[in-house]
Amino acid sequence: MIAASLLALAVVTAGCSSAKPEAAAPKDSAAAGTTTAASKEPHADQLKIAVPADVGPLNLYLNSGNEGLLELVYDKLFAPSPFVKDPQPWLAESAKQLDDLNWVVKLRQGIAWQDGKPFTADDVKFTFDYYRDGPSNRYTHHVSEVPSIKTITAEDASTVKFTCAYACPTLASITMADLPILPKHIWEKVENPRKFTDLPIGTGPYKLVEYKADQYYRFEANPNYFQGKPLVDSLVMPIIKDPAAMFNALRSGEVDAAGKGLPPELLETFKKLPNMKVVNTSDMTLVELRVNYEKAPFNQPEFRQALSYAVDRKSINDTVMLGQAKPGLQGYPHPDSPWTNPNLSTPFDLAKAKELLDKLGYTDKNGDSVREDANGQPLELNLKAPTTEPTWIRTAELLKDQFAQAGIKVTVEVLDSATISTLLQSRKFDMYMNNIVPHGVADPDQFVMSHRSGYLWTKGLPYPEMDALTDKWMKEPSVEKRKQISFEMQTLFNKQPTSIVMYYPKENYAFRSDKYDNWLESPGFGIVEKLSFLPASARKAAGLAK
């Protein structure tokens, strides 16, 4: 079935008038990995990269589920992301902080959108205004609330001034490294961005020239990219949702790389395959047990603390992930982020968990090994997990056993992923398994926002200790002092977590080295991201020289 789909893809690609003849043939990628004498950089005519999901026509208002694909098309003022210690100017030439509230950004000149229109300060002003004042999307709160940008002014064609409502010392390293810039001449005409289905136009190194729902994406290199011509002329990305089918396609050579990490049980097998390489990356994701903190008994901080103590994270990692992850012993957020307190600790302590439950009045009154509350009601909880994630289901089953050791009865319920995705908003759950992407666990502004958005906490719900720290954080104009306040917030959170971290996956990406062997990890993105396909000069400019 996969072979037939890929053959059909090759035929469609060959029949598209915008494709280069040499980029359409099914065996184009056989020439990959060559190095041109002039540039001494690797080159490939075409790569086929399997992706695990259809995220639509890359409209960031519809779905931002694969930011690596968005990065191919769009650029930001700073690069590569807020997940590194020191992002570098990208579309921006420089950013200067004038005082606690004001920044001035100078833009690179001579950059064009993929349709040939010039990129100017008006595009930057429009983007930030649109994110702040228009329909909400994944980026909105990084302009409207954390931080809050009061005014954006295009002072001339290459100068933009930003004025914040409160201190914004990390505006360049966080906000400007996170928000993709949109072309004003296209988006100002869009009445409803959620219904916009045109293929995107950015300033990035690749243009999306073809998208077939549930079938594939096809990108062509932007030869005039301001950071240098891409090293791969064409990227064809078949959508293969079934992990087994994806890795079978990689093993057989039907695709050249997989945009999803190898399952732990396949790691050693793929390492031994001829012409196959596996690289370990820091994807900065985590798998969590999410609890309904608005519902008893989870609304008691001590109860959430007891749950955390009852979890043997090392045992779960060894059993479920076969050691191919880091146990979540440092809690939330991700320990690889430069913005995370290195001293966080969430140990396994069953005796402490039992002690806390005793103090809360949950005791086993009838000797059936299940605790009861003061009214004699058994402490019985429900834990939901999605059918699409076998490792999460196995984790849930182990949690059931571990919580039983503390006297808590847990029933595991497996549901379809669509239903799981509605739980946070509906609040119809006790606990469920979930994962969080780098935006949530490696971005310090998002950690604050998550306590105001209904994820880690709900704005307006009493939490005086965290509210006091947040107020202190917002007033602090020093980056380093604000970072220390963030560390205090993280310590407070992990004492009474609403997200109980299970493990931090180590993503192992596999690719055929005979086709292309110039992949680069961008923290938080894995290897399927623009810098993998750009020359060494661009990698150096982003601070990620190989």
Side-chain angles (χ1 to χ4, degrees):
M1 182 67 181
I2 296 299
S5 298
L6 292 173
L7 178 59
L9 172 58
V11 172
V12 171
T13 304
C16 183
S17 60
S18 63
K20 299 178 182 179
E22 69 273 19
K27 49 188 180 181
D28 278 347
S29 56
T34 59
T35 302
T36 62
S39 68
K40 295 191 177 180
E41 298 231 41
H43 171 263
D45 293 332
Q46 183 184 95
L47 289 178
K48 295 188 180 76
I49 305 167
V51 292
D54 183 346
V55 293
L58 302 190
N59 176 348
L60 49 80
Y61 277 85
L62 293 174
N63 194 320
S64 58
N66 193 325
E67 295 191 19
L69 299 192
L70 287 174
E71 288 277 326
L72 295 173
V73 177
Y74 291 108
D75 287 309
K76 300 170 293 193
L77 294 177
F78 275 63
S81 70
F83 316 139
V84 300
K85 186 176 181 180
D86 190 22
Q88 299 297 306
W90 200 249
L91 286 174
E93 184 177 273
S94 65
K96 181 179 180 181
Q97 186 172 11
L98 304 179
D99 53 40
D100 292 353
L101 304 180
N102 291 285
W103 287 77
V104 170
V105 173
K106 287 288 186 181
L107 303 176
R108 296 181 191 269
Q109 299 186 48
I111 297 175
W113 295 98
Q114 292 166 349
D115 60 4
K117 302 287 186 182
F119 162 74
T120 71
D122 286 338
D123 296 304
V124 176
K125 171 178 167 50
F126 169 81
T127 297
F128 278 76
D129 282 337
Y130 198 60
Y131 288 158
R132 183 191 62 194
D133 304 330
S136 63
N137 66 11
R138 124 93 169 91
Y139 306 97
T140 297
H141 61 261
H142 280 307
V143 183
S144 64
E145 190 162 358
V146 184
S148 174
I149 303 179
K150 189 161 64 173
T151 60
I152 306 103
T153 306
E155 298 192 326
D156 58 43
S158 60
T159 308
V160 187
K161 183 179 180 182
F162 297 86
T163 300
C164 300
Y166 59 85
C168 51
T170 59
L171 193 69
S173 56
I174 303 297
T175 308
M176 294 181 193
D178 185 53
L179 273 60
I181 304 302
L182 301 172
K184 177 184 177 182
H185 65 278
I186 293 175
W187 283 86
E188 68 180 348
K189 301 171 186 176
V190 177
E191 294 183 4
N192 186 343
R194 301 190 188 284
K195 294 185 177 180
F196 185 61
T197 57
D198 289 4
L199 298 184
I201 295 294
T203 57
Y206 285 90
K207 182 177 181 180
L208 179 60
V209 296
E210 192 173 10
Y211 159 70
K212 293 291 185 183
D214 289 321
Q215 294 184 49
Y216 61 88
Y217 294 88
R218 186 166 65 85
F219 299 85
E220 293 292 338
N222 176 1
N224 301 313
Y225 187 53
F226 72 97
Q227 288 285 8
K229 182 180 178 181
L231 305 176
V232 181
D233 297 337
S234 175
L235 303 174
V236 177
M237 299 189 180
I239 299 163
I240 307 179
K241 298 179 181 180
D242 178 59
M246 175 184 290
F247 294 114
N248 282 336
L250 178 58
R251 188 198 304 256
S252 68
E254 295 172 61
V255 298
D256 304 320
K260 180 181 177 68
L262 282 166
E265 62 273 15
L266 292 181
L267 179 59
E268 293 306 317
T269 298
F270 269 75
K271 282 183 176 179
K272 296 173 183 176
L273 293 176
N275 298 316
M276 191 75 68
K277 284 188 179 180
V278 177
V279 293
N280 181 266
T281 71
S282 176
D283 266 18
M284 292 189 182
T285 61
L286 58 80
V287 174
E288 64 171 356
L289 176 67
R290 183 173 289 183
V291 303
N292 191 349
Y293 56 84
E294 295 185 11
K295 176 183 180 181
F298 307 102
N299 59 348
Q300 303 172 89
E302 299 84 358
F303 185 81
R304 301 195 301 271
Q305 189 178 38
L307 288 179
S308 181
Y309 276 126
V311 178
D312 185 348
R313 297 161 175 85
K314 185 178 185 306
S315 175
I316 288 174
N317 181 54
D318 291 344
T319 304
V320 176
M321 299 302 291
L322 305 180
Q324 295 303 315
K326 290 171 59 179
L329 294 170
Q330 289 176 264
Y332 197 107
H334 200 288
D336 288 349
S337 169
W339 302 98
T340 296
N341 184 346
N343 298 315
L344 294 178
S345 177
T346 53
F348 169 54
D349 192 333
L350 185 57
K352 185 67 174 177
K354 291 179 178 180
E355 179 185 335
L356 286 168
L357 292 170
D358 288 342
K359 287 181 178 179
L360 290 170
Y362 296 104
T363 58
D364 181 11
K365 299 175 177 62
N366 60 10
D368 66 351
S369 299
V370 177
R371 294 173 181 267
E372 290 85 31
D373 63 17
N375 299 317
Q377 294 298 311
L379 188 51
E380 298 181 348
L381 307 175
N382 178 274
L383 170 54
K384 305 180 191 299
T387 57
T388 52
E389 296 290 344
T391 56
W392 298 4
I393 297 171
R394 182 67 179 129
T395 298
E397 293 291 350
L398 291 178
L399 283 171
K400 173 184 174 180
D401 295 340
Q402 292 182 4
F403 287 140
Q405 295 298 311
I408 303 171
K409 183 178 180 180
V410 171
T411 301
V412 174
E413 183 180 8
V414 179
L415 300 172
D416 63 90
S417 56
T419 301
I420 293 287
S421 68
T422 67
L423 295 178
L424 181 63
Q425 188 167 2
S426 72
R427 300 291 178 183
K428 294 179 180 178
F429 69 95
D430 289 341
M431 306 178 289
Y432 69 94
M433 299 302 303
N434 194 57
N435 75 329
I436 300 298
V437 298
H439 173 58
V441 295
D443 179 333
D445 289 359
Q446 182 56 42
F447 180 78
V448 174
M449 189 62 208
S450 291
H451 280 83
R452 306 162 74 82
S453 66
Y455 163 40
L456 296 181
W457 200 253
T458 299
K459 190 176 182 178
L461 199 65
Y463 199 165
E465 305 96 329
M466 188 65 76
D467 290 343
L469 285 172
T470 301
D471 183 62
K472 183 179 177 182
W473 182 90
M474 288 182 168
K475 292 176 179 176
E476 179 52 58
S478 160
V479 173
E480 191 54 40
K481 290 181 180 179
R482 176 176 274 195
K483 188 175 185 178
Q484 295 305 314
I485 298 168
S486 292
F487 287 1
E488 293 181 54
M489 298 168 77
Q490 294 163 17
T491 299
L492 173 63
F493 174 81
N494 282 285
K495 286 182 178 177
Q496 48 190 43
T498 55
S499 164
I500 301 175
V501 179
M502 299 294 104
Y503 48 84
Y504 317 103
K506 297 177 185 176
E507 294 293 353
N508 293 286
Y509 286 91
F511 58 89
R512 300 189 66 85
S513 57
D514 56 330
K515 306 301 182 183
Y516 188 71
D517 194 11
N518 196 44
W519 300 91
L520 179 74
E521 177 198 2
S522 181
F525 291 98
I527 63 172
V528 183
E529 197 263 353
K530 70 173 69 171
L531 290 169
S532 277
F533 312 114
L534 290 179
S537 58
R539 300 174 180 207
K540 183 177 180 180
L544 292 179
K546 189 173 180 180

